[in-house]
Amino acid sequence: MNYTELTADQLLKIHTLGELKAAGYQSKSVKQELRDNLIAKLQRKEPTFEGIWGYEDTVIPDIERAILSMHNMNLLGLRGQAKTRIARQMTELLDEYIPVIQGSELNDDPLQPLSRYGVDKVQELGEKTPIGWLHRSERYAEKLATPDVSIADLIGDVDPIKAASLKLPYSDERVIHYGLVPRSHRCIFVINELPDLQARIQVALFNILQEGDIQIRGFKLRLPLDIQFVFTANPEDYTNRGSIVTPLKDRIDSQIITHYPKTRDISKQITTQEAKIKEPQKDKVVVNQIAQDLIEQVAIEARDSEYVDEKSGVSARLTISAYENLLSAAERRTLINGENQTYIRVSDFIGVIPAITGKVELVYEGEQEGAGIVAHNLVGKAIRTMFTDYFPKPDDKNKEGKSDNPFKAIINWFGEGYTIDLLNDLSNEQYELALNSVPGLADLVKKHHKEANKHEQVFLMEFALHGLAEYSKLSKSALDTGTRFKDLLSSMFSMPDLDDLDEDDLG
């Protein structure tokens, strides 16, 4: 039987170099492995990077071309664009098991030993050299580049303890303690945030990438390391914290530019896939598509906002965290009110504010707009943008007095001096009663969304109030525990209650 046709169970029964040769094993580089397995997947029409959405026509084809070219690659993009996830998934393109000389630090190929240990072992035992097996999940190494990363971390250093215990002089290469790069021989090695690596450390990678030798404290070792390098970098880092030195960039064969999801639906797929929703939350909280779309729209608004630093980007982790917080806000309500089930409300978006404030870099940090105000504004802009997907645009040409204005009854009711307070922790019954107290609100939703179920109709009723406020048809003000809606003009001309003023305000 051909070696390539052996099953994993059959491979694991091979224990010596002689048995391995008899099975027909031939050495293959890690890049050749990736290439061969990618070719097989493409021919079988199988997806190469499952769960990576929005890159089917852009990033993934570029990565596949780089693998077919057997290139080292740099994934260049803003935060939260699945760069590291892609690198980790590349292990799925490796062979399930590869043979190594048992006890070797450098994953020595039995037919092409690299280390002194491997060479000596084969010379000593020959065909009886013991063989171990390395699973593809163990063939991935990753290092986050930080300013304190040293040559010893990546390449290696002389180990005086090893020299003393083995009674060897410092001139013997066996006293070397190898770093992460040599120990990643026959593996995929990832350096995240490459520009953060000090220039002198980047220089140390030159020979490894091109010539295949390393230098450690005077030792010049010819180690033709077999490594698939994948680097990741953020364009912002080129100017803010460092840069990739030009000769190193020249030695990285393919630079692949990543991007954020191009549509709301793709972004929603990613959020739904990645969000960690607990089983009790799934049972207690009913989520509608409008709320999910609104979460994604918040991120889209943030990426276009004048207050958010576009060089820093807005990570996909924002929508994932926001979605988790949204469900937790609704779950908290059910626990407080002793209810078995609830449905998402626009009021619950108060819970997504902490997920936004920690994930956006402001242009004027701490100056004109605070992070909390910006977060509230982003939610408001998202509501405004999506409002016309569900209701007619509240056009200024549609004067409130005209009979064809779909919002006439609602606006007139508030104009008569009525207000409505939607508190965050209202029970389901109290919440529905409050919304149904607004004349024309339920009729508006039924007219434009006859197919919506009860939960969606109630959500759209509140959504309509928020939308009218964003279009300056109503006044919306924040309370300590909720939101108050009232007539726009009366809010502009009303004086504050004297009971609400402190001594400083009164002079």
Side-chain angles (χ1 to χ4, degrees):
M1 183 182 284
N2 191 317
Y3 174 83
T4 57
E5 296 173 354
L6 295 177
T7 65
D9 290 338
Q10 290 171 321
L11 289 175
L12 295 175
K13 291 177 182 176
I14 297 174
H15 300 296
T16 65
L17 178 56
E19 293 172 2
L20 188 66
K21 288 179 178 178
Y25 169 74
Q26 293 182 334
S27 298
K28 185 191 291 187
S29 73
V30 63
K31 288 185 171 70
Q32 189 66 54
E33 268 183 65
L34 291 166
R35 174 182 160 82
D36 290 349
N37 292 325
L38 174 61
I39 289 171
K41 273 185 175 283
L42 292 175
Q43 289 174 337
R44 293 194 300 264
K45 311 291 185 190
E46 294 177 2
T48 48
F49 292 90
E50 293 188 81
I52 305 294
W53 304 105
Y55 285 171
E56 295 84 356
D57 301 321
T58 52
V59 177
I60 289 176
D62 283 342
I63 294 172
E64 290 172 347
R65 286 186 277 268
I67 291 173
L68 292 173
S69 299
M70 298 168 66
H71 282 177
N72 295 313
M73 64 187 81
N74 179 30
L75 301 177
L76 180 66
L78 296 173
R79 65 177 73 175
Q81 292 185 351
K83 300 186 292 295
T84 305
R85 180 172 184 144
I86 289 170
R88 288 174 180 170
Q89 273 197 243
M90 283 178 64
T91 57
E92 297 299 315
L93 294 173
L94 295 170
D95 291 346
E96 187 174 4
Y97 285 98
I98 59 166
V100 295
I101 295 174
Q102 207 166 70
S104 165
E105 286 183 283
L106 305 187
N107 306 320
D108 280 300
D109 185 332
L111 297 187
Q112 296 178 350
L114 187 72
S115 67
R116 175 73 175 269
Y117 173 89
V119 172
D120 290 348
K121 188 64 74 174
V122 172
Q123 286 179 349
E124 178 188 349
L125 300 176
E127 303 282 285
K128 294 182 180 179
T129 302
I131 299 300
W133 292 92
L134 196 64
H135 190 261
R136 60 186 166 212
S137 62
E138 301 174 272
R139 297 175 62 194
Y140 176 88
E142 181 179 308
K143 182 65 177 174
L144 175 62
T146 54
D148 62 339
V149 172
S150 66
I151 296 287
D153 294 331
L154 287 183
I155 312 301
D157 203 350
V158 171
D159 185 350
I161 297 176
K162 185 184 283 188
S165 60
L166 296 176
K167 297 180 179 178
L168 295 171
Y170 280 2
S171 58
D172 193 311
E173 67 180 71
R174 286 173 290 179
V175 304
I176 294 174
H177 177 80
Y178 291 104
L180 275 172
V181 173
R183 289 173 183 273
S184 300
H185 178 51
R186 304 173 75 199
C187 299
I188 295 170
F189 186 72
V190 178
I191 297 182
N192 279 320
E193 310 301 341
L194 181 60
D196 285 351
L197 207 60
Q198 291 184 49
R200 64 185 182 86
I201 313 296
Q202 292 185 37
V203 169
L205 297 172
F206 288 0
N207 280 15
I208 296 171
L209 286 170
Q210 199 73 37
E211 286 81 21
D213 58 53
I214 62 173
Q215 295 183 24
I216 300 172
R217 289 195 183 269
F219 288 99
K220 186 173 182 181
L221 302 176
R222 181 66 185 165
L223 282 182
L225 293 168
D226 176 25
I227 298 173
Q228 169 67 56
F229 280 100
V230 180
F231 304 99
T232 74
N234 187 323
E236 179 201 19
D237 297 339
Y238 286 2
T239 54
N240 279 13
R241 294 200 298 266
S243 64
I244 302 176
V245 297
T246 305
L248 177 59
K249 187 185 285 189
D250 183 56
R251 285 166 167 79
I252 300 172
D253 309 295
S254 289
Q255 179 165 281
I256 297 161
I257 298 174
T258 59
H259 56 79
Y260 287 120
K262 294 186 176 180
T263 68
R264 200 161 61 200
D265 286 340
I266 292 172
S267 184
K268 189 163 61 177
Q269 269 184 304
I270 295 169
T271 301
T272 305
Q273 174 182 278
E274 299 300 319
K276 294 178 175 62
I277 306 303
K278 290 74 181 171
E279 287 303 322
Q281 290 178 326
K282 292 177 183 177
D283 296 335
K284 283 182 178 291
V285 183
V286 178
V287 188
N288 58 59
Q289 291 297 317
I290 313 167
Q292 288 183 294
D293 287 341
L294 198 53
I295 287 281
E296 306 307 329
Q297 190 63 38
V298 169
I300 293 170
E301 298 293 341
R303 288 169 191 145
D304 292 335
S305 173
E306 61 182 312
Y307 298 117
V308 177
D309 186 358
E310 63 179 350
K311 293 178 184 176
S312 179
V314 178
S315 167
R317 286 182 280 270
L318 182 148
T319 55
I320 295 166
S321 298
Y323 185 58
E324 292 169 346
N325 268 11
L326 182 67
L327 268 75
S328 295
E331 182 187 29
R332 179 178 175 274
R333 274 194 294 102
T334 64
L335 297 172
I336 289 172
N337 294 315
E339 296 168 331
N340 294 324
Q341 193 177 61
T342 190
Y343 42 89
I344 289 294
R345 306 172 185 173
V346 181
S347 313
D348 294 327
F349 275 76
I350 191 68
V352 310
I353 300 301
I356 300 172
T357 54
K359 290 183 171 58
V360 293
E361 298 287 338
L362 302 187
V363 176
Y364 304 109
E365 188 71 51
E367 293 182 23
Q368 296 177 1
E369 300 284 347
I373 296 173
V374 169
H376 281 284
N377 288 343
L378 292 174
V379 174
K381 285 184 178 181
I383 291 171
R384 180 185 172 93
T385 300
M386 286 182 54
F387 186 76
T388 52
D389 294 342
Y390 297 92
F391 298 104
K393 184 177 180 180
D395 201 333
D396 288 335
K397 294 177 183 178
N398 261 344
K399 299 300 181 186
E400 281 74 2
K402 286 193 174 182
S403 58
D404 60 350
N405 180 5
F407 310 108
K408 178 182 176 182
I410 301 168
I411 295 171
N412 285 349
W413 184 77
F414 281 103
E416 292 171 9
Y418 294 101
T419 64
I420 177 175
D421 291 346
L422 291 180
L423 304 182
N424 298 331
D425 297 330
L426 289 176
S427 68
N428 292 337
E429 184 180 355
Q430 293 169 328
Y431 176 70
E432 290 176 26
L433 281 172
L435 290 172
N436 283 318
S437 69
V438 181
L441 191 54
D443 293 337
L444 173 74
V445 172
K446 287 174 184 175
K447 178 181 177 181
H448 292 94
H449 298 281
K450 296 176 183 176
E451 74 293 343
N453 61 38
K454 179 186 175 183
H455 297 159
E456 290 169 341
Q457 286 181 353
V458 176
F459 181 91
L460 284 164
M461 288 169 71
E462 185 186 358
F463 183 71
L465 292 179
H466 283 272
L468 289 172
E470 292 301 326
Y471 275 93
S472 301
K473 302 301 177 185
L474 297 177
S475 166
K476 179 174 73 170
S477 56
L479 305 173
D480 287 341
T481 57
T483 305
R484 171 172 291 170
F485 293 93
K486 59 192 295 188
D487 178 57
L488 185 65
L489 288 176
S490 66
S491 68
M492 292 170 64
F493 293 109
S494 61
M495 294 294 291
D497 192 328
L498 290 178
D499 292 337
D500 295 333
L501 300 177
D502 57 26
E503 292 181 4
D504 292 335
D505 294 320
L506 295 172

